[in-house]
């Protein structure tokens, strides 16, 4: 007697395989993504787009870290990175490096501001 067949479970590994088209990791420019990379939408979702791509574009109207995005979507990093690679390649999102911690509290470059002020005074 054979074991009963389980119904298709869309939340398992099969779902990830379908979402990524069988790819296990991003390629090209997306290979440098990390959990702190900020993602920003450049376009709005279009009809017929994959649901997860639509969600990424909606959630990233304002910059959102890859780690936060993965938590919102409930996706592991490598799966999310493949989806982000698709959107990067299509020009629908922009990936920005986060501000390094040593630069975050430093403020603007004073030398640059002095040059700008000097140029404005000459006008």
């Amino acid at each position: 007697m054979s074991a009963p067949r389980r119904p298709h479970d869309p939340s398992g590994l099969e779902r990830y395989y379908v979402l990524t088209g069988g790819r296990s990791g991003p390629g090209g420019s997306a290979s440098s993504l990390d959990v702190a990379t900020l993602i920003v939408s450049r376009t709005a979702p279009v009809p017929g787009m994959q649901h997860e791509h639509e969600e990424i574009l909606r959630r990233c109207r304002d910059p959102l870290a890859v780690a936060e995005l993965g938590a919102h979507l409930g996706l592991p990093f490598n799966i999310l990175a493949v989806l982000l690679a698709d959107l990067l390649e299509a020009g629908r999102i922009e990936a920005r490096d986060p501000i390094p911690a040593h630069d975050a509290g430093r403020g603007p470059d004073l030398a640059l501001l002095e040059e700008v002020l000097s140029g404005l005074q000459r006008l």
Side-chain angles (χ1 to χ4, degrees):
M1 179 173 202
S2 64
R5 285 187 86 179
R6 291 185 308 158
H8 177 67
D9 179 12
S11 64
L13 295 176
E14 294 143 356
R15 174 177 174 248
Y16 297 150
Y17 184 86
V18 171
L19 287 178
T20 63
R23 295 170 289 163
S24 61
S29 62
S31 61
S32 64
L33 290 174
D34 67 18
V35 294
T37 302
L38 298 175
I39 304 297
V40 183
S41 300
R42 298 179 83 190
T43 65
V46 294
M49 188 177 250
Q50 184 176 337
H51 173 71
E52 288 75 13
H53 286 155
E54 289 179 13
E55 276 300 305
I56 291 168
L57 293 176
R58 277 192 206 99
R59 290 183 182 271
C60 293
R61 288 183 184 129
D62 294 319
L64 191 62
V66 171
E68 293 176 275
L69 187 57
H72 287 301
L73 299 176
L75 294 172
F77 174 78
N78 61 328
I79 303 301
L80 180 59
V82 171
L83 297 175
L84 293 173
D86 294 342
L87 293 170
L88 277 168
E89 189 176 301
R92 296 191 174 280
I93 60 169
E94 182 179 330
R96 299 178 184 169
D97 290 329
I99 299 171
H102 60 83
D103 291 342
R106 189 171 54 130
D109 181 11
L110 290 179
L112 176 62
L113 290 176
E114 288 174 359
E115 287 181 39
V116 171
L117 180 60
S118 175
L120 289 172
Q121 289 172 340
R122 284 184 290 213
L123 290 176

